[in-house]
């Protein structure tokens, strides 16, 4: 069992501790380590199960079927940490329901929220967030997908790639250039049902940790006026506001992977014989374990501080979220790598949990703002306040 002493920290409330207990019991009964043969089908099953379990209600506000009046980052973080410790795909399924509906929660009209959010919370609608393009990842301002006004609506042309839930989503939050101003100020957000004519899944992308991922193409795709999310030209700010909420939770998922790796490594070194004792008796092993514990505890402190600032202080936490995401994902990579090393050859054997964790954790240093981008964000925030 992973360390749970962090639940007593002052960043968390009693309802968070209750959430952690209930979710842990649910995961034990509903989540397995089995590697699915059909990732799409398993992802759909997990979304339905998470909806039936009531966990997706944490992704939307209470006004539309959620648990809290506003999205509670600490709850999202606890859920992602716990799910990731049990299953990377379960964490993915949960996270995308939040990310693919967060912009609607923040900027949608009452009609848009009513149409999409309850179905997301129930697990009846799979959500996706389409921002990345073949030639623009972290440099969002250079996107080339366009949406031009046509009568009362819009015509969209372009492509998006590495879109999570691509190919299985029921709707996409699409960001496209609408031209109100140069660069980031000329981007808008749209809600695009997956069956919209002119939208095509042109490639399914296979990555080291299997997830539904795809390239999308838009060819003279027509959208009605009410597909626009918020104000035209405000899409970049809307995307960043959405990511500000969920970036902290990426760190929480990494923390879950790291905790699982530490648990697996601890059990391994206590059982593995070495001379007259066990691998755990070695000072070298103990030093390695100490570094793993240090990375985990510092990550947890940064994650739940960032969530607390947003939830309790209602403060913008761009700097703190970047610190949490950067340290937790880089630290989790170190923890998992050390766990593999402690397992020796067994650690790179397919089917062993630390081998799967090694593949799962790598992408977290890239998506929702690569580590290099987080360093820029942190430095700029620091310099602005100097």
């Amino acid at each position: 069992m992973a360390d749970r002493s962090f639940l007593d920290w002052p960043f968390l409330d009693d309802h968070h501790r209750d959430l952690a207990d209930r979710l842990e019991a649910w995961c034990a009964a509903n989540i397995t380590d089995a590697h699915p043969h059909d990732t799409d089908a398993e992802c759909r099953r997990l979304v339905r199960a998470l909806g039936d379990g009531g966990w997706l209600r944490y992704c939307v506000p209470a006004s539309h079927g959620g648990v809290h009046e506003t999205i509670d980052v600490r709850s999202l973080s606890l859920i992602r940490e716990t799910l990731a410790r049990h299953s990377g795909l379960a964490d993915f399924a949960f996270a995308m329901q939040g990310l693919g509906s967060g912009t609607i929660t923040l900027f949608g009209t009452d009609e848009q929220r009513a149409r999409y959010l309850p179905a997301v919370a129930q697990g009846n609608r799979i959500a996706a967030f389409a921002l990345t393009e073949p030639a623009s990842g972290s440099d969002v301002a250079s996107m080339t997908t366009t949406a031009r006004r046509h009568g009362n609506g819009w015509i969209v042309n372009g492509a998006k790639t590495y879109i999570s839930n691509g190919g299985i989503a029921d709707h996409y939050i699409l960001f496209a250039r609408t031209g109100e101003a140069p660069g980031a100020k000329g981007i808008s957000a749209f809600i695009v049902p997956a069956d919209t004519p002119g939208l095509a899944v042109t490639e399914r992308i296979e990555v080291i940790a299997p997830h539904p991922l795809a390239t999308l193409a838009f060819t003279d795709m027509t959208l009605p006026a009410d597909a626009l999310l918020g104000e035209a030209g405000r899409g970049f700010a809307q995307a960043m506001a959405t990511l500000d909420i969920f970036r902290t939770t990426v760190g929480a998922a990494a923390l879950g992977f790291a905790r699982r790796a530490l648990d697996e490594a601890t059990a391994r070194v206590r059982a593995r014989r070495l001379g007259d004792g066990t691998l755990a008796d070695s000072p070298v092993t103990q030093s390695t374990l100490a570094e793993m514990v240090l990375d985990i505890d510092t990550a947890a402190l940064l994650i739940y501080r960032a969530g607390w600032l947003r939830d309790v202080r209602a403060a913008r936490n761009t700097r703190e979220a970047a610190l949490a995401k950067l340290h937790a994902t880089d630290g989790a990579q170190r923890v998992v790598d050390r766990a593999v090393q402690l397992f020796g050859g067994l650690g790179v054997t397919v089917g062993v949990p630390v081998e799967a964790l090694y593949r799962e954790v790598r992408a977290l240093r890239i998506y929702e703002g690569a580590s290099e981008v987080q360093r820029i964000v942190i430095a700029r925030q620091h310099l602005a306040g100097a």
Side-chain angles (χ1 to χ4, degrees):
M1 173 66 73
D3 174 41
R4 291 166 58 85
S5 62
F6 75 100
L7 292 170
D8 291 327
W9 292 351
F11 292 129
L12 299 172
D13 300 324
D14 285 342
H15 68 86
H16 294 116
R17 289 178 266 277
D18 176 65
L19 165 62
D21 288 341
R22 289 186 292 110
L23 181 57
E24 188 66 37
W26 184 87
C27 287
N30 292 274
I31 303 295
T32 69
D33 270 341
H35 300 285
H37 296 294
D38 187 336
T39 303
D40 288 0
E42 179 64 6
C43 207
R44 291 189 182 97
R45 186 195 71 79
L46 285 166
V47 170
R48 287 193 296 270
L50 289 164
D52 290 344
W55 310 114
L56 296 180
R57 294 180 60 221
Y58 288 89
C59 295
V60 305
S63 58
H64 292 86
V67 174
H68 298 291
E69 183 178 347
T70 58
I71 292 176
D72 185 80
V73 176
R74 290 167 297 168
S75 294
L76 294 178
S77 297
L78 275 171
I79 292 171
R80 289 203 66 181
E81 177 184 335
T82 304
L83 290 174
R85 186 157 43 78
H86 287 271
S87 162
L89 195 59
D91 165 64
F92 170 88
F94 174 84
M96 288 313 305
Q97 290 299 94
L99 186 62
S101 64
T103 314
I104 301 175
T105 294
L106 294 175
F107 302 102
T109 63
D110 288 341
E111 194 279 331
Q112 288 170 333
R113 290 170 180 157
R115 188 191 309 174
Y116 290 97
L117 297 183
V120 166
Q122 294 158 11
N124 294 330
R125 176 178 287 275
I126 295 179
F129 187 83
L131 184 64
T132 300
E133 296 191 354
S136 68
S138 298
D139 184 15
V140 175
S142 68
M143 74 169 54
T144 59
T145 296
T146 60
R148 61 178 177 85
R149 292 186 184 273
H150 179 72
N152 291 327
W154 305 82
I155 293 181
V156 180
N157 284 280
K160 299 290 180 178
T161 195
Y162 290 104
I163 304 306
S164 295
N165 277 345
I168 69 167
D170 294 296
H171 76 258
Y172 299 89
I173 303 303
L174 172 68
F175 297 87
R177 181 166 301 287
T178 46
E180 289 77 13
K185 296 182 179 180
I187 293 169
S188 301
F190 300 88
I191 307 174
V192 181
D195 60 358
T196 303
L199 186 163
V201 176
T202 58
E203 179 189 13
R204 294 302 301 272
I205 302 170
E206 295 187 16
V207 288
I208 57 176
H211 299 90
L213 208 64
T215 297
L216 311 176
F218 311 98
T219 306
D220 292 333
M221 181 178 72
T222 301
L223 296 176
D226 64 2
L228 180 69
L229 258 175
E231 299 177 37
R234 296 285 299 162
F236 179 81
Q238 293 167 353
M240 295 305 106
T242 306
L243 291 171
D244 265 357
I245 291 176
F246 290 95
R247 186 167 288 130
T248 300
T249 77
V250 179
L255 179 59
F257 291 143
R259 288 197 195 278
R260 177 64 181 273
L262 177 61
D263 285 354
E264 295 288 340
T266 301
R268 172 67 174 173
V269 299
R270 293 180 68 187
R272 179 70 166 175
R273 299 300 302 175
L274 183 67
D276 294 331
T278 66
L279 194 55
D281 297 323
S282 164
V284 174
T285 299
Q286 292 172 10
S287 177
T288 300
L289 291 172
E291 293 293 336
M292 295 165 76
V293 170
L294 178 61
D295 273 333
I296 286 171
D297 263 28
T298 51
L301 284 163
L302 287 169
I303 288 162
Y304 292 106
R305 179 189 68 165
W308 178 83
L309 274 173
R310 187 174 184 93
D311 297 338
V312 177
R313 292 289 180 87
R316 185 173 182 182
N317 67 344
T318 301
R319 171 182 176 272
E320 290 76 16
L323 283 165
K325 203 264 185 186
L326 173 64
H327 182 76
T329 56
D330 280 5
Q333 183 81 55
R334 290 190 295 269
V335 170
V336 173
D337 185 74
R338 286 172 172 140
V340 169
Q341 196 72 12
L342 288 170
F343 267 76
L346 189 60
V348 292
T349 304
V350 173
V352 174
V354 293
E355 181 272 338
L357 289 167
Y358 193 82
R359 290 183 286 107
E360 287 280 3
V361 76
R362 186 60 185 87
L364 274 64
R365 293 169 57 203
I366 298 171
Y367 72 71
E368 291 188 40
S371 293
E372 292 76 10
V373 174
Q374 302 313 313
R375 290 184 175 91
I376 292 170
V377 170
I378 294 163
R380 288 179 177 172
Q381 291 279 315
H382 168 71
L383 291 169

